[in-house]
Structures are given as C-alpha cells and as structure tokens.
Amino acid sequence: MSKTRIAFIGAGNMAASLIGGLRAKGLDAAQIRASDPGAETRAKVNAEHGVEVLADNSDAIKGADVVVLAVKPQAMKAVCEAIRPSLKPNQLVVSIAAGITCASLNNWLGAQPIVRCMPNTPALVRQGVSGLFATAQVTTEQRQQAEELLSAVGIALWLNEEQQLDAVTAVSGSGPAYFFLLIEAMTAAGVKLGLPPETAAQLTLQTALGAAHMAVASDVDAAELRRRVTSPAGTTEAAIKSFQAGGFEALVEKALGAAAHRSAEMAEQLGQ
Ligand SMILES: NC(=O)c1ccc[n+]([C@@H]2O[C@H](COP(=O)([O-])OP(=O)(O)OC[C@H]3O[C@@H](n4cnc5c(N)ncnc54)[C@H](OP(=O)(O)O)[C@@H]3O)[C@@H](O)[C@H]2O)c1
C-alpha cells in the first residue's frame, strides 16, 4: 500500500475510521482523498486526518488505484451511475455497503473489478472483522490492496462465494448487537440479584472483554474453554443448564437465520 492511492466516496463514520486506520498504518495523507456532500463532514475529516475531502465524487476518483464506496446502500445506485463515466478500466472498486451485490454494482458501474465487503461496527475502534468477496476481474495485487485496506480497522477474511456474505452479516455484521443484548440482560440480572447498576455493568463488561481475550488467545475452542470453567454441580453448570433448558442454542440459530434471510431479502430489494 506504500504507493496505493485511495479515494473514498462518502466520508461518514465507516470511511473516517478506515482513513484513520490507514493513516495510523503509515499511509501518507496525499495518498488518500475523499468526497462527501456535507461541508461539515468534509471539514471534520480533513481536520482529523489531514486528507483532501472534495464535494465532487468524480474529482475524488481521479488518479485513484482503489475507489471505496462508503455511502449508505440506498444512495449506491445513484452514486455508481454518476461516477461510471469517470472510472478507468481496471480501477478497483471496493464496496462496504450492506446488501449491494456485485451483480448490481457491475450493472451500475460497468465491468469494473469489484471487492464487496461486510465490515462491522467495532471497525470504528479498529477491532472490526470483515468478510471479503472478489469478482473474477480482481487481480492478485488488487486482492492484496483490498485486504490491507480492511485490515486497517481489524481483521479481513476472504470468502469463496458471494452468498456467504449473508452469513457474515448474520454472524459478525449484526453480531455486536447480540453481545450488547447479552450485556444488557446480564447487567439487569445482576441488579436484580442485588448489585448496584454501575457495579453490575462493570462486572459484565470486563467479563465480556476477558472472555473474548481468553478465547482469542487460547489454542482450544470455546466449547472446551466452557467445559474447563464448568465444574460438576457448580454455579456455572447451574446457569448453563438453565440457558440450555430455555433452548439457547436453537434460539441463537433461529436469530442468525432470520438475519441471514433478511440480508438476502434486502440485497434483492436494493439491487432493483
Ligand atoms: N457503520 C457500520 O458499522 C457499518 C458496518 C457495515 C457496513 N457499513 C456500510 O458502510 C456504509 C457507510 O456507512 P456509515 O455508517 O459510514 O454511514 P454514514 O456515516 O451515513 O456515511 C455515509 C456518508 O456518505 C455521504 N453521502 C450521501 N450521499 C452521498 C453521495 N451522493 N456522494 C458521496 N457521499 C454521499 C453521507 O452524507 P450525508 O450524511 O450528508 O447524507 C455520509 O457522510 C454503508 O453502506 C453501510 O451499509 C457500515
């Protein structure tokens, strides 16, 4: 990426965190350009990251090796159709928009090489995880560029089939909210058991962080880690049995199935 020039179309939350991550990895401000209709957004991103932020999308993509589409899915069709005449053949287009397929992007942009990504919100604190899918036109060098781009805000994992992005959306795209829900529920339960709310919240948050760190660092899987902390007839076993009696695993499967189904449905609607 030492010489790669990157243009961001849309300079909102996700683009700003990618720009911040790239700058922290040593990319020069002159290698990055962005565009956004909001004067305030343009001034903010310029002040925070030192990059040029233009009002015109077509100006921003001039000379870029990689064009990152970082607008809301609903704006994507109009944005793509407007920049189409300004794109150079073989200029890599990376889309981070949820639910916009490569086929729709190719319809709107022409035959550009495309990498479609599904990042998640922890990218905002550089702890994200993204699923990436590349169309056949994408070269090895361009795959590398897309991977390095998304790696600036977390880890990036390649997928062999575009359809798997619906599953990625269900697991990691929507995933942070499932953990927030569990944090809310555990905090509320702690309060019911007699803890002050602030204490219950701190205990829950540090437990979530500690468990995630342990699971990431461990050479055994989560099921084994759970078995190791679950003594027969102990307190953890009492809780786990209660979760399982309530159908916990089946409920998680159903919830993620609903998210994946909705992702596929939205892709169909947004691709019109
Ligand atoms: N945030 C996440 O965690 C997350 C996770 C996965 C995927 N994504 C995807 O990332 C994309 C961006 O999300 P975000 O959270 O960064 O949204 P955002 O903060 O709303 O950023 C989008 C930016 O694009 C600007 N914009 C609107 N129309 C434009 C146009 N025609 N040309 C150029 N810029 C335009 C918006 O300006 P205005 O506000 O003035 O309209 C806004 O500043 C979305 O497609 C979303 O699906 C986000």
Side-chain angles (χ1 to χ4, degrees):
M1 297 281 265
S2 63
K3 292 208 174 79
T4 311
R5 286 157 308 169
I6 306 173
F8 288 85
I9 307 299
N13 292 317
M14 203 42 109
S17 57
L18 282 164
I19 294 168
L22 291 168
R23 295 280 288 126
K25 287 215 160 178
L27 255 78
D28 201 86
Q31 288 175 260
I32 304 170
R33 214 187 266 155
S35 56
D36 197 282
E40 246 177 65
T41 306
R42 291 201 295 274
K44 185 167 176 269
V45 172
N46 174 266
E48 277 175 16
H49 304 293
V51 303
E52 190 180 12
V53 191
L54 307 165
D56 188 285
N57 294 341
S58 298
D59 285 345
I61 66 179
K62 273 182 203 145
D65 304 295
V66 182
V67 176
V68 184
L69 302 176
V71 298
K72 291 280 187 209
Q74 294 76 4
M76 197 58 94
K77 185 178 182 192
V79 164
C80 289
E81 288 175 345
I83 62 169
R84 181 175 181 154
S86 314
L87 283 169
K88 296 272 168 290
N90 304 327
Q91 211 170 10
L92 174 66
V93 175
V94 175
S95 166
I96 60 166
I100 303 284
T101 64
C102 295
S104 298
L105 291 165
N106 278 133
N107 265 343
W108 304 331
L109 293 167
Q112 296 299 132
I114 289 176
V115 171
R116 182 181 159 199
C117 312
M118 185 61 209
N120 67 356
T121 328
L124 304 178
V125 292
R126 292 182 206 156
Q127 292 291 332
V129 59
S130 309
L132 277 67
F133 173 80
T135 58
Q137 292 95 322
V138 176
T139 65
T140 307
E141 190 195 352
Q142 288 175 326
R143 280 175 79 98
Q144 181 81 17
Q145 288 170 333
E147 186 175 322
E148 285 184 36
L149 169 74
L150 272 300
S151 299
V153 290
I155 65 170
L157 306 170
W158 285 101
L159 303 164
N160 293 325
E161 289 168 41
E162 185 174 1
Q163 238 187 1
Q164 291 171 322
L165 282 167
D166 292 327
V168 171
T169 303
V171 175
S172 57
S174 302
Y178 316 154
F179 286 98
F180 298 148
L181 182 66
L182 186 62
I183 288 168
E184 276 177 72
M186 281 177 62
T187 303
V191 171
K192 280 214 167 148
L193 289 168
L195 292 169
E198 187 56 27
T199 305
Q202 273 183 294
L203 289 168
T204 306
L205 285 176
Q206 187 56 32
T207 302
L209 195 63
H213 272 305
M214 262 183 88
V216 168
S218 173
D219 49 10
V220 296
D221 65 9
E224 176 57 22
L225 284 175
R226 174 168 61 81
R227 272 192 289 277
R228 287 183 189 176
V229 294
T230 310
S231 330
T235 57
T236 310
E237 189 185 74
I240 300 283
K241 275 188 169 162
S242 183
F243 273 130
Q244 291 176 332
F248 185 74
E249 282 95 344
L251 185 62
V252 171
E253 190 182 324
K254 192 173 160 195
L256 270 67
H261 176 74
R262 184 67 191 127
S263 171
E265 208 172 58
M266 283 169 69
E268 195 142 311
Q269 287 162 3
L270 292 164
Q272 304 293 316

